[in-house]
Amino acid sequence: MGKYQRVFLIVLDSLGIGAMPDAESFGDTGTDTLGHISDTVPHLNIPNLKKLGLANLHPLKQVEPSEHPLACLARLYEKSNGKDTMTGHWEMMGIETKKPFITFTEHGFPPELIKELEARTGHKVIGNKSASGTEILDELGEEEIATGHMIVYTSADSVLQICGNEETFGLQELYRCCEIARELTMKDEWRVGRVIARPYVGKKRGEFVRTSNRHDYALKPTGPTALNALKDAGYSCISVGKIYDIFDSEGLTESNKSKSSVHGMEQTIDIAKREFKGLCFTNLVDFDALWGHRRNPIGYGEEIERFDVKLGELLKVLREDDLLILTADHGNDPTYTGTDHTRETVPMVAYSPSMKNSGVLKDREAFHTFAVLGATITDNFGVAMPKGTIGQSILNLLQ
């Protein structure tokens, strides 16, 4: 057993801190999610992030650097070829993705895929564009109910989503169609990260409501990760939020679905009050889904403030032998063009009540991959990373 009995890894989904050196090749020159939010919003009240030292790592208009930051801080660089949720999270746990997942945001899915999906499912496809899940129901829900057609849409993520009315389309039929879509999108030219069943109820526009019977058909990681190594060694690997979907349950011992990012923090706080040895891995998706993609810096800033309140509650229940790490999986600059993720560096804010070292760590090769996180966590528990993974531990710096 290493220094820390429990590690809490919390992903503030899309909270990038400045363009990667190769951002131009992704069309993301000059992006800076956190910095541009700070430049835009009228206030950014984050006392807990301030005392940890976030403004020491990345300048913020409203927040002075802490004279004595409590955390060890570093800027992490993505080695994988991509800027999506799965690529970022998988790299944290040791997987380098060399071939990026495909998105179909601009033009929808190709005719060849739609034709095959229609032939295999027996349903005509309507929609086939990038859209908000609630807006597309108002636009096409009545038509689907009347005709038995199938609403297919995507987003800025690498996803194929299918809507089905639980009363007329049927939940099991929706799942069957999604299973077919998952099979089809295993082809390299159509390979998406997730196929998502989006069931809903209601009879007319304005009354449609999505239900909790959503089901994600994700790709499994391309190899074993730090999660598999920890689980196989007998440690707890507890997930909160969409971590379960991102890793398709691989390497997890417990899963907790979240209703919101605030709820996800509340779940994490409750877990911190329990007895376990191992990792609690949390994803807070609202930063990305509600504010980044919708290009709303004001809402994003307010979400950061809500997180800071819950962070304060979590800090109060951390034990001397706990390690907390805050990070992100990519950027999603709400002041940038379009609605897509942005290719950015991400923060690493590492804190323990027993930690003696603090401040911004000098840049070193280990920080040029998100996989420093998985390598450090497994090192802490004396567990070897799986063969073929990347990342090097910086546990000796987090003391």
Side-chain angles (χ1 to χ4, degrees):
M1 174 63 70
K3 176 177 176 62
Y4 301 110
Q5 301 286 301
R6 309 186 303 176
V7 178
F8 295 86
L9 176 58
I10 301 178
V11 180
L12 284 65
D13 200 306
S14 83
L15 192 68
I17 57 169
M20 281 272 294
D22 63 357
E24 183 178 1
S25 63
F26 289 80
D28 295 331
T29 303
T31 53
D32 181 355
T33 299
L34 180 59
H36 288 157
I37 290 168
S38 177
D39 291 341
T40 304
V41 299
H43 54 81
L44 194 60
N45 184 27
I46 52 172
N48 294 298
L49 285 167
K50 176 181 178 178
K51 70 181 183 182
L52 290 179
L54 183 61
N56 297 66
L57 178 64
H58 194 64
L60 300 174
K61 185 177 74 173
Q62 304 90 339
V63 185
E64 289 292 323
S66 174
E67 189 174 345
H68 301 289
L70 298 180
C72 290
L73 305 116
R75 184 181 299 269
L76 304 184
Y77 296 76
E78 186 164 15
K79 187 175 184 182
S80 295
N81 184 11
K83 54 178 180 177
D84 60 86
T85 298
M86 291 175 68
T87 299
H89 283 78
W90 285 8
E91 182 168 316
M92 290 178 206
M93 295 296 110
I95 290 181
E96 179 186 358
T97 300
K98 296 183 179 180
K99 186 173 183 179
F101 296 109
I102 301 173
T103 58
F104 296 92
T105 311
E106 297 299 322
H107 306 292
F109 298 102
E112 298 82 6
L113 171 56
I114 295 300
K115 182 178 179 181
E116 196 163 345
L117 185 59
E118 288 178 332
R120 292 278 302 276
T121 63
H123 296 277
K124 179 184 176 181
V125 167
I126 54 177
N128 189 24
K129 61 182 178 180
S130 178
S132 156
T134 52
E135 291 174 355
I136 204 160
L137 285 181
D138 280 340
E139 178 187 349
L140 297 173
E142 290 180 356
E143 180 180 349
E144 181 184 77
I145 291 170
T147 63
H149 297 339
M150 182 169 66
I151 300 172
V152 174
Y153 71 108
T154 189
S155 71
D157 285 319
S158 179
V159 294
L160 184 154
Q161 303 179 85
I162 303 179
C163 300
N165 187 286
E166 291 194 4
E167 296 172 334
T168 59
F169 198 92
L171 195 57
Q172 295 309 312
E173 177 64 6
L174 175 62
Y175 292 162
R176 182 187 74 88
C177 294
C178 285
E179 288 167 3
I180 292 170
R182 177 70 280 177
E183 181 186 339
L184 293 176
T185 54
M186 294 301 288
K187 293 183 179 180
D188 277 351
E189 64 268 31
W190 301 336
R191 186 172 178 255
V192 296
R194 285 174 293 158
V195 171
I196 306 176
R198 293 284 195 177
Y200 68 97
V201 293
K203 292 183 170 61
K204 60 181 181 180
R205 183 180 294 109
E207 296 180 357
F208 297 127
V209 178
R210 296 195 292 192
T211 75
S212 60
N213 290 320
R214 163 182 169 163
H215 187 72
D216 290 49
Y217 300 80
L219 292 175
K220 288 192 179 296
T222 52
T225 70
L227 296 175
N228 298 102
L230 290 168
K231 180 181 178 181
D232 292 347
Y235 292 103
S236 296
C237 288
I238 303 168
S239 74
V240 177
K242 66 177 186 177
I243 298 297
Y244 179 92
D245 294 330
I246 294 167
F247 290 90
D248 196 27
S249 79
E250 285 292 308
L252 299 173
T253 59
E254 177 186 328
S255 175
N256 299 272
K257 287 188 175 182
S258 303
K259 300 173 184 176
S260 66
S261 288
V262 168
H263 182 223
M265 282 300 292
E266 291 170 346
Q267 291 170 301
T268 304
I269 293 164
D270 287 341
I271 291 167
K273 296 174 181 178
R274 291 163 33 187
E275 295 295 331
F276 73 93
K277 291 182 180 180
L279 172 66
C280 175
F281 194 177
T282 298
N283 175 280
L284 306 176
V285 72
D286 288 352
F287 299 97
D288 186 54
L290 297 184
W291 315 117
H293 286 307
R294 298 180 185 182
R295 293 302 187 253
N296 185 339
I298 303 299
Y300 206 133
E302 292 171 347
E303 192 71 50
I304 296 172
E305 292 183 334
R306 285 190 288 272
F307 166 76
D308 192 85
V309 172
K310 292 300 176 183
L311 173 61
E313 296 177 20
L314 177 59
L315 291 174
K316 290 177 182 177
V317 299
L318 288 183
R319 303 171 183 175
E320 286 291 309
D321 54 3
D322 286 341
L323 175 64
L324 169 66
I325 304 175
L326 309 178
T327 192
D329 52 343
H330 49 72
N332 200 345
D333 189 335
T335 69
Y336 203 57
T337 57
T339 62
D340 198 1
H341 295 151
T342 44
R343 174 81 168 175
E344 296 184 46
T345 60
V346 302
M348 183 200 73
V349 181
Y351 167 74
S352 172
S354 65
M355 189 178 286
K356 301 294 189 292
N357 194 18
S358 67
V360 179
L361 303 174
K362 290 184 179 180
D363 195 21
R364 49 184 283 175
E365 190 64 30
F367 303 152
H368 288 257
T369 164
F370 294 1
V372 64
L373 300 171
T376 298
I377 293 167
T378 52
D379 185 22
N380 176 72
F381 293 109
V383 174
M385 284 287 286
K387 186 177 180 180
T389 53
I390 62 171
Q392 59 187 97
S393 173
I394 57 165
L395 183 64
N396 64 312
L397 301 179
L398 307 183
Q399 305 292 337

